[in-house]
Amino acid sequence: MRRVYMDHNGTTPVHPEVLEAMMPFFKEQFGNASSIHWAGREVKKYVDEAREKVASLLNASPAEIVFTGCGTESDNMAIKGVAFALKDKGRHIITTRVEHHAVLHTGQFLEKMGYEVTYLPVDRDGLIDLEDLRRSIKPQTVLITIMFANNETGTIFPVQEIGEIAREKGVIFHTDAIQAVGKLPIDLRRLPVDILSLSGHKIYAPKGIGAQYIRTGTKLMPLIHGGGQERNRRAGTENIPYIVGLGKASEIAQRDFPKRYDHFLALRDRLQEGILSQIPHVQLNGHPTKRLPNTLNLSFLCIEGESLLLNLDLEGIAVSSGSACTAGSSEASHVLLAMGVPPEVAQSAIRFSLGWANTQEDVDYVVEVLPRIVKRLRDMSPLYQRYVSSPK
Ligand code: PLP
């Protein structure tokens, strides 16, 4: 059976060049980067090189990059790190209702510790009102944490404008750019962002490696205490093979960016048009244009997203209903609900997220298989029969 993977916002396969770059560090290059003997010195060089590559992808300085264990750790490090470092200045944090749970649950944890967190609402496209943000800032606000692009819908936030407001008010701005890195141009010499989180497995490096950009001078308390690694910002012996892998993935993301961007857009538009032209009663979730080039989130009215996902899986097609981290629970996506999507429409959502290795044939296969499945499921659905006889 043909297999098509369209869940790249969930995770990406390791790029062959990344794997190749990592291999020596599982074998002969086994040193500890903190050792001063030859084995340590040899690998330290590669850690430095990887840091330069991550910095270069973001147009930042290598000294501003810290390696972490994953994207979730980076988000935690930013939010708790600022909250704890500035607790005497103020204990108010602003975020949005559509963040990843790595941010939302960290916010909830801080609330239990006595902090106040404002969760900004979003509109039907998934965007915040900038005036609302401005009004929410108080003298006690120490951090604004708003994602660069949403993992479920792909909606892109106005990071430039948010950063300008944060600067004007003297508040630190963190952005979870885990879905944006490699898919959108990011220039941290121009963008007013103080802290930025990224994750390896969304950019063709392995799972279990992340990084954090911390603008020089930004106050942050370390999350993990121990040795003096990462200039005392993140203790623990460096995971050298994975750091090297993230460096290589960053180099490739920078090298192939224009090619990948055009490839994503062409395939995504073909997929979107193919589905919308053949299947009635399908709704696009997310901003129609301000959206990640690889992401397409659609609600197939009167069908359970989960059933659609399982039926696609039987045909070898891997997609996601809701975000991967909440999959398994049948609750509607918190992101879509926050956007005002009715629960039954949110429950019928499927996310297609393309990767660089997807082809036009993959898209055409999905467009061929999907209408059949949707028709079969709708034919069995009394809800659909009622809906078509009197659409809302
Ligand atoms: N933030 C966003 C927007 C994500 O999409 C993800 C992963 O799905 C994470 C955070 C968590 O990253 P990781 O899986 O590396 O912990």
Side-chain angles (χ1 to χ4, degrees):
M1 185 182 28
R2 192 187 171 101
R3 286 183 134 195
V4 172
Y5 185 80
M6 285 196 186
D7 192 15
H8 293 84
N9 288 8
T11 197
T12 60
V14 174
H15 193 292
E17 286 181 57
V18 169
L19 186 61
E20 195 190 334
M22 290 170 66
M23 287 317 283
F25 300 92
F26 290 111
K27 297 190 225 162
E28 61 274 16
Q29 304 268 40
F30 59 86
N32 181 329
S34 301
S35 306
I36 50 178
H37 50 60
W38 57 267
R41 284 197 313 274
E42 270 176 20
V43 293
K44 167 103 180 32
K45 202 170 71 203
Y46 290 97
V47 172
D48 293 342
E49 210 175 87
R51 202 183 305 282
E52 280 164 24
K53 289 175 180 171
V54 175
S56 171
L57 175 64
L58 304 171
N59 200 15
S61 144
E64 295 172 311
I65 304 297
V66 175
F67 291 110
T68 65
C70 59
T72 300
E73 185 189 319
S74 296
D75 282 340
N76 271 261
M77 179 200 235
I79 300 167
K80 292 177 189 161
V82 172
F84 296 160
L86 299 184
K87 67 178 190 322
D88 294 332
K89 180 167 180 251
R91 296 183 180 207
H92 178 232
I93 292 166
I94 300 173
T95 186
T96 77
R97 292 189 191 162
V98 295
E99 301 296 312
H100 189 273
H101 286 132
V103 169
L104 289 179
H105 290 169
T106 305
Q108 286 163 16
F109 166 78
L110 287 174
E111 282 182 284
K112 286 196 196 114
M113 308 254 308
Y115 287 78
E116 187 196 347
V117 182
T118 300
Y119 300 90
L120 296 174
V122 295
D123 63 18
R124 199 59 192 233
D125 293 331
L127 286 174
I128 55 161
D129 175 350
L130 290 173
E131 279 316 304
D132 208 12
L133 168 65
R134 197 186 282 280
R135 275 195 303 272
S136 304
I137 300 172
K138 312 177 190 197
Q140 315 86 276
T141 309
V142 288
L143 177 71
I144 295 171
T145 171
I146 295 181
M147 65 201 329
F148 209 117
N150 187 271
N151 43 305
E152 293 189 32
T153 61
T155 293
I156 301 169
F157 282 82
V159 171
Q160 175 75 34
E161 288 81 355
I162 295 169
E164 282 167 10
I165 294 172
R167 283 265 160 95
E168 190 190 307
K169 302 281 187 181
V171 177
I172 294 177
F173 175 35
H174 162 247
T175 186
D176 171 343
I178 288 166
Q179 292 296 341
V181 171
K183 298 174 196 150
L184 297 175
I186 299 180
D187 180 350
L188 290 173
R189 292 215 208 285
R190 298 170 68 132
L191 273 181
V193 165
D194 300 305
I195 312 171
L196 178 144
S197 302
L198 67 92
S199 173
H201 75 108
K202 311 291 183 179
I203 62 164
Y204 306 90
K207 292 151 198 60
I209 180 74
Q212 186 90 298
Y213 158 83
I214 307 171
R215 188 177 292 278
T216 307
T218 308
K219 282 211 166 64
L220 209 66
M221 190 168 277
L223 203 60
I224 300 178
H225 297 91
Q229 292 90 353
E230 297 295 287
R231 297 176 163 202
N232 293 313
R233 293 176 296 189
R234 201 268 188 182
T237 301
E238 295 88 345
N239 185 352
I240 294 168
Y242 282 54
I243 288 174
V244 169
L246 181 58
K248 189 69 188 177
S250 301
E251 180 191 320
I252 298 169
Q254 189 170 7
R255 182 191 74 196
D256 293 351
F257 180 80
K259 204 166 68 188
R260 281 185 182 175
Y261 189 89
D262 293 345
H263 178 71
F264 285 151
L265 262 191
L267 290 190
R268 204 267 314 271
D269 291 348
R270 187 178 178 94
L271 183 64
Q272 183 169 331
E273 279 156 31
I275 295 173
L276 295 181
S277 65
Q278 291 200 52
I279 308 178
H281 311 300
V282 179
Q283 177 184 306
L284 174 74
N285 299 312
H287 198 284
T289 53
K290 290 177 195 151
R291 193 152 44 101
L292 290 175
N294 77 321
T295 306
L296 178 62
N297 188 313
L298 298 172
S299 282
F300 295 83
L301 302 192
C302 307
I303 295 181
E304 193 68 36
E306 210 85 331
S307 319
L308 196 46
L309 181 144
L310 294 174
N311 277 275
L312 284 167
D313 187 33
L314 290 174
E315 304 278 353
I317 300 167
V319 296
S320 153
S321 68
S323 63
C325 311
T326 51
S329 77
S330 58
E331 276 177 26
S333 138
H334 71 281
V335 173
L336 300 184
L337 294 180
M339 288 160 60
V341 175
E344 65 282 8
V345 178
Q347 294 263 25
S348 69
I350 286 284
R351 178 188 69 187
F352 302 87
S353 48
L354 299 158
W356 65 266
N358 280 131
T359 59
Q360 202 166 297
E361 288 72 38
D362 290 342
V363 168
D364 293 347
Y365 177 62
V366 173
V367 171
E368 179 202 317
V369 165
L370 192 58
R372 223 181 329 117
I373 298 176
V374 170
K375 181 168 184 324
R376 195 172 61 231
L377 292 173
R378 280 181 174 165
D379 282 349
M380 295 186 314
S381 157
L383 203 68
Y384 186 66
Q385 309 311 326
R386 242 178 292 139
Y387 178 80
V388 282
S389 55
S390 62
K392 280 178 226 150

